Amino acid sequence: MKELLKNVLRGFCIGGGSITPGVSGGTMAIFLGVYERLLEAVATIHKTPLRSLRLILPVAAGAGCGLFALAAPLQLFTARFPLFSKIVFCLLALAGLFIFIEKTLSGPPKGRDYLFLSGGFLLSLASDYFLTQYCVQAEGAAALFLV
């Protein structure tokens, strides 16, 4: 029962991460330590359906709850605090990059790892800046669609 509740809460965080700009559900799954187990459960669902579904169903239910429970507060947060929310989302994306690198590298980071990380982060910031400038100048639903 304790593991069931943990998986529902993990799913809730994954669902919340899925609707948060700069964060993905996959990144949240890696951070929470459930990503590899989910992949294995999906890959072996035809061999061990009950075992696989004991993980997949609670995580999926939690993700659905997270999506619905956090969508309105997130929209309210971004509407009331647009600049602050952009800063928070950029910091979450940066933290997600470091977590992803830590979880995926087999050894200590090398210089090229930091080079690619810096390049990707600068590219992300540049695209965010240009899209934001476009949306400030443009009006209507087309501008919101780009963001």
Side-chain angles (χ1 to χ4, degrees), residues 3-15 25 29 32 34-35 37-38 41 52-66:
E3 190 65 25
L4 176 73
L5 182 60
K6 282 183 181 179
N7 287 332
V8 171
L9 289 175
R10 287 177 181 131
F12 190 87
C13 293
I14 290 169
L32 296 169
V34 73
Y35 185 78
R37 292 187 303 161
L38 277 172
S52 296
L53 289 175
R54 274 192 217 122
L55 176 66
I56 294 171
L57 290 178
V59 171
C65 290

Side-chain angles (χ1 to χ4, degrees), residues 44-97:
T44 61
I45 196 165
H46 63 285
K47 293 179 184 176
T48 57
L50 289 178
R51 182 174 172 259
S52 296
L53 289 175
R54 274 192 217 122
L55 176 66
I56 294 171
L57 290 178
V59 171
C65 290
L67 284 169
F68 288 110
L70 297 175
L74 186 63
Q75 183 181 16
L76 183 65
F77 174 67
T78 56
R80 288 205 177 159
F81 309 104
L83 179 61
F84 183 69
S85 64
K86 286 181 185 181
I87 292 169
V88 168
F89 296 148
C90 284
L91 291 174
L92 285 172
L94 183 61
L97 283 173

